[in-house]
Every structure is written in structure tokens, then in C-alpha cells.
Amino acid sequence: MAPTSRAARTLALSTAAAVTACGVFLAGGSARAADPTTMTPIGGGYTLATLQGFARAAADGASGPTVDIVVVPSSYGDAPADREENLTLAQQRTDEVDAACDAVLTAPFTGCTAVLAPLLDRADAEDPASSVMVTDQTDGVFILGGDQGLAMSVLADTPAEAALEAAFARGAAVGGTSAGAAVESRSMINGYVGELGPWDGLRRDSSLVWWGDDADRERGLRFGSTQAIYDQHFYQRGRFGRLLSTLASSDERFGGASRLGVGVDYATGVRNTADTTLSGVFGASSVAVLDLETLSSPVAWVGPNSVLSTRNVLTHLLPPDAAGNATAYDFVGRTVTRNGAPVAAPTPAPASGPSIAGAAGTVYLGGDVVGGGSTAVVDRFVADTQAAVAVGAQPRVVLLAASSKDKKAIKAYTDALKAAGWKGSVEVVEADRKSKVVTTGAAGVLLAGETPASVASAVGNPAFADKVRTAVLTSPVVLADRHLTAALGTWFSTKADPTDMNYEDEAIASFRTGDGQWQRGLGLVTGSLVPSLTLDYRWGKLFDLGALEGGQVAWGLGEDTAVRVPPGAAATVLGPGSVVALDPRGADFWTGPNGAIGAVGVLLSTFGDGEALSLG
């Protein structure tokens, strides 16, 4: 019963705009030749703060008297019919770079030049005249957003790439936004396969990756990072799953030595110095670092969709630094340093999956199990419920609904039960209406809560809350779904679900401290639960929970998937999707000056169908 559809999300992703204006802020510097190499991947957009971050890198070693920047539009499109329009747009962006740079230029510089390199197709890149503006005096190269695969099809193994590589080696800072960030890692993510999207990100081979370890042209820039794989629009487009599965594939590709994952969010950038150090995050959000090597995270692919199964992926969120609180990440040692001191990786501690003390029957904790592509959870619930019908008893399922306004959802659950073969009655109890229906004697109970607001109201109703408690603790079989699943745990989010109009903005906001608007749950389930994890881009809520309740594991539940909790036995995953565990117990959390969550030492684990939820 997700509020937004996979089809709508696919359309939105395929039509997202990728190119706008840019501007820079400059400071003095020394001769380029003595500087280490610098890259500044930006996760998307052309905000002033991110372009200032790039410009600082370009200006830090500029020899003057001007700061000279070359703009590369190779991600735009190479169709001859669009050439004039693309060049016009790219020139407008270049003019804006120049004007923004001049407006904030400081001594000792006398001016700034931003020039366009007309590199839109392969013929352009093969012609040295098209990149003649990349010279010994070039202080920065900025690669515009668009399509990273197209950009590399244009640039790979051409005189243009050689000119950019030479400038980079001389010390010119190379930056880019969106696709322009993706090309800055030699192993480059080039989108999803076919019609797959973020909700499929944890599936094996769901992403198209250009590995860059052979002689073909399917790669990022020849001089791109060999330590990291960058992913852009990272929180905005729910790409944690995509980067995790890509890193797992890199572990297999590179003989057990997986690359480091660096996820850069929209309107945010970071400086990579000498391909050894990440530091100086700038912009609106934070940068995520994912590491499968330090704690020897295993890699397996399980279930009908071959989803990633791994444990204890060492994860950090790095926001901009507060005054006097410098943070850096060392690629070689894979360690975070804060205020000059390295932060030790936590030791994984044992923990079991969600449990329900005192429950007499089996409880299913659903992430969103009706209306998707799989009926596995409802089918199993119905089978268990049919088996629980006492001899001679009336076969009943009671549906406890958080609101009488959820008519569409109530019908969807009722229809799903019938489609799964349920022949008995379905009796509905709505939290905001009086009812004489009781769960006592019912073979199964279904708990449905469509919106956070209705669930918050429902569990605040003592009579309804008591019905829920009684059902969970005494019924033979219980299926909770969506926000009523969340309300069974320690905390649940009362913030409204994202819509098709704002889900990307909400995904970014979820990585800000306290954005979840948390309320105490009923406490029947150990830990806290986040439903509809991948479809609704709720990854940030897991980290927000980690900051809120550092002593408990937070559980993210994928769509079409549930945690099955039988009495006296281990909780297991049921369904084709994933369950994600965020373990904050050895982590340090803080809030960046921009409100973004900072975290060092978070452990992420992923599970698939049939696996027991066990950490340690």
C-alpha cells in the first residue's frame, strides 16, 4: 500500500533534469606544480555552496593573475540535431561560472576566466582543437551533469581525455556535479539495468557498472579514483542499496578487495586529495562512506531476487565540519580522523532480530506487503491462519485498521486475503469507531496503518492500543503492516509519507537530525522498525533512529517483505526483498552545522529471504 508507485518513480528518474548554472568563490594560492591532485565530486545541482567548494579547490594552487576554469559539457548529449541547443546552454552555464567567479574574486587575483570546451561528441574529443583551451595555466576543470555513460563514450581514449589528464597531473582541480561526479571514479556506476530502480538496488547485477579494469572504454576517467566508487544524488534518490550491491560486486570483481563506496548527496560535495584523503565536505547535506573490508563483511546473494546478504558494513556519514572540528577519511587505512585523532572501528556485538516477549503465536512484521509484485507474505499468513483454525470454530480474521478513512487500504488487504485463498470471514475494527468485534477466538489478526498521523492517533487511543496488544500477544497468527508495524517497536516516525511530488526532498531531509518526528511506540517489539525502506527512500530514518536510541538495532523493512517472528524461535526474513539492520551501538553521532546527521562507526547488515536475523 505504498503511497507512490514504482512506475511513477521510474518515470521521475528518467526525466530528471541534470544541467543548470554554476558559480565559484576564490582565494589566493601558490604554484600549481607543487600541489597534490584534487577532485571535488558534487552529488547534484549547481548551488552556490557546492560551486564555491569546487572553486576553492581550483583557486588554492592557482598561479595567477587569473583563475582559469574549463567547463566540459560531454554529459549533455551528442545528437547532431541537439548540438546547437546544447552548445548554447553550455555556454550560458560557462558565462554564469565566469560571472559568479568574478563577483567573489579576492586578491591577489585580477580576474577569472571560465571557458567552454566544445566536447559534445566523439569527433569533438578526437580533434585536439576542441580541447586547446586546456593549457598549462588551467586551474580547474568542471564537468557538467547529464549522462555519465555518454560523457565517457565521448571522452575515453581521446586527445581530450589526455589533455584533461595532463592538466590534472599538473595540479588542476577536477570537479563535477551529478554525472560529472560519477566519471571521477574509474570504476563508474552507469545507472540501473533495464526498468530496475532504487527499490531493486540490493539485487545482484541491478546496476550497470563500468569497472575500468580492462582495455575497453567502459569506465570512468582514466585518471579517476581507483580507491573509491562514487554515487551521486545519494540520499535524494535512495541509492544506499545500489552502492552496497555495487561494492559487493566489486569484492568479487577484484578478488576480495572491494572498492570503497562514497555516496555524495545532492547540493553537497567533498574534496578528494591525492586519492588518499576525503575531507572538507561542503554544502547542504553529508557524504556517506561505505566499507566492506575493515570488518571483513561477507558477500552472498540470497532469495528469489538474489538480494545482497552481508554483515557489519562499516559506515560513516560526514557532514561539513563545525569550527574546530576537522574530519577526514583516509582511503589507505580506511579510518576516520576527528580533531586529529583516529576513530577506531567498533567491534561487532551479538544481537538477535526483532523479538516479541510473551507472544503466543507467530507475528509477521510487514514492510508493505500488499499491492507490490509479490504475494509471498500474505500467502504465508493465510496458510498459517488456516492451519490455526480450531476444529469446529468459525474461521475468522480480524482486521484492526488505524482509521476509518483508510477504505481503499482496507479493501486492498481484504482482497489480498481472499486472493491468497482465505474462505472465512474478515471482520474490520476501525480505531476511530466503536466496535463489538473482539480478536479473541480469531485464527488471525491483521494490523493495518496507512498513514503515520492515523497510527499516532490510533495507538494514542487506549482501547485500540489494548486491542493491538492483546492481538499481538495472544492471537495464533498476526500480520502487521506499514506504519502499524512501526508502532509496535520502541519508536515510530509520525512524519507524513512522501508523495510523488516531494519524495526526493523528503529523502534528503530524512538525513537531518530529528527529521523523523519520533514518537514512542507500544514497545511490543525489541528495537525500532522502518517500513517501506527502499521504495520510499527511508534510509535516513535508520540513521536518525541510531542517533536517537544508540543502544538498540534499528530495522528497515523492504517492500513485499516481512520479518517472521515465531514464538520461541529466531526471526527470519520472508519475501523477495530485503531487511536491513543498522547497529549504532559502537558509533559516534553528532549534528553538522547544516543540521545533517554525522556518524562514525555505524554497522549496516542486509538479509534476504529465509535468513535468520542475527548479528555479531
Side-chain angles (χ1 to χ4, degrees), residues 289-309:
V289 179
L290 281 66
D291 170 16
L292 272 70
E293 291 301 308
T294 296
L295 296 178
S296 301
S297 301
V299 172
W301 307 94
V302 302
N305 285 342
S306 294
V307 300
L308 175 64
S309 172

Side-chain angles (χ1 to χ4, degrees), residues 111-207:
C112 175
T113 63
V115 297
L116 176 66
L119 299 168
L120 285 177
D121 61 25
R122 188 78 187 176
D124 293 333
E126 294 281 9
D127 182 359
S130 298
S131 50
V132 69
M133 62 289 298
V134 183
T135 70
D136 291 350
Q137 301 303 310
T138 298
D139 301 310
V141 174
F142 193 84
I143 304 169
L144 300 177
D147 182 329
Q148 60 263 40
L150 174 60
M152 291 314 305
S153 296
V154 169
L155 294 172
D157 296 330
T158 64
E161 185 182 35
L164 298 176
E165 184 174 26
F168 179 66
R170 288 191 297 267
V174 173
T177 185
S178 189
V183 301
E184 293 176 50
S185 55
R186 187 174 175 91
S187 290
M188 183 184 80
I189 298 175
N190 191 27
Y192 294 97
V193 173
E195 296 299 317
L196 300 180
W199 40 88
D200 306 299
L202 285 165
R203 292 174 58 174
R204 185 173 195 167
D205 298 329
S206 58
S207 299

Side-chain angles (χ1 to χ4, degrees), residues 405-442:
K405 296 180 181 179
D406 295 336
K407 298 299 185 186
K408 184 177 179 181
I410 292 169
K411 184 178 186 304
Y413 284 109
T414 303
D415 290 347
L417 293 174
K418 293 178 180 178
W422 179 247
K423 304 298 185 183
S425 65
V426 178
E427 302 173 8
V428 178
V429 177
E430 297 161 338
D432 50 352
R433 291 186 175 178
K434 293 182 179 180
S435 174
K436 295 182 179 180
V437 174
V438 295
T439 59
T440 303

Side-chain angles (χ1 to χ4, degrees), residues 490-514:
T490 304
W491 296 94
F492 71 100
S493 174
T494 63
K495 190 173 185 183
D497 283 332
T499 69
D500 283 338
M501 299 300 294
N502 71 0
Y503 63 94
E504 289 191 348
D505 292 339
E506 288 298 303
I508 296 170
S510 71
F511 282 87
R512 303 181 72 82
T513 301

Side-chain angles (χ1 to χ4, degrees), residues 71-251:
V71 177
V72 177
S74 302
S75 302
Y76 267 29
D78 59 358
D82 299 328
R83 182 177 181 85
E84 182 176 352
E85 180 181 356
N86 284 334
L87 284 174
T88 298
L89 177 58
Q91 185 59 53
Q92 290 172 358
R93 303 316 183 208
T94 304
D95 292 343
E96 290 170 2
V97 170
D98 195 288
C101 177
D102 284 335
V104 294
L105 193 65
T106 60
F109 299 112
T110 60
C112 175
T113 63
V115 297
L116 176 66
L119 299 168
L120 285 177
D121 61 25
R122 188 78 187 176
D124 293 333
E126 294 281 9
D127 182 359
S130 298
S131 50
V132 69
M133 62 289 298
V134 183
T135 70
D136 291 350
Q137 301 303 310
T138 298
D139 301 310
V141 174
F142 193 84
I143 304 169
L144 300 177
D147 182 329
Q148 60 263 40
L150 174 60
M152 291 314 305
S153 296
V154 169
L155 294 172
D157 296 330
T158 64
E161 185 182 35
L164 298 176
E165 184 174 26
F168 179 66
R170 288 191 297 267
V174 173
T177 185
S178 189
V183 301
E184 293 176 50
S185 55
R186 187 174 175 91
S187 290
M188 183 184 80
I189 298 175
N190 191 27
Y192 294 97
V193 173
E195 296 299 317
L196 300 180
W199 40 88
D200 306 299
L202 285 165
R203 292 174 58 174
R204 185 173 195 167
D205 298 329
S206 58
S207 299
L208 178 62
V209 184
W210 288 5
W211 291 109
D213 61 344
D214 51 30
D216 67 27
R217 294 171 177 168
E218 293 186 345
R219 55 171 174 79
L221 289 166
R222 185 163 53 213
F223 53 94
S225 175
T226 58
Q227 298 286 337
I229 297 177
Y230 295 121
D231 207 345
Q232 71 278 17
H233 297 279
F234 194 59
Y235 308 153
Q236 180 188 30
R237 297 181 183 169
R239 289 176 172 170
F240 253 94
R242 175 166 99 167
L243 189 54
L244 281 167
S245 65
T246 297
L247 296 180
S249 295
S250 80
D251 186 79

Side-chain angles (χ1 to χ4, degrees), residues 117 187 280 286 309 338 351 421 430 461 529 538:
S187 290
S286 67
S309 172
R338 298 197 71 210
E430 297 161 338
N461 177 338
L529 305 155
R538 296 179 188 268

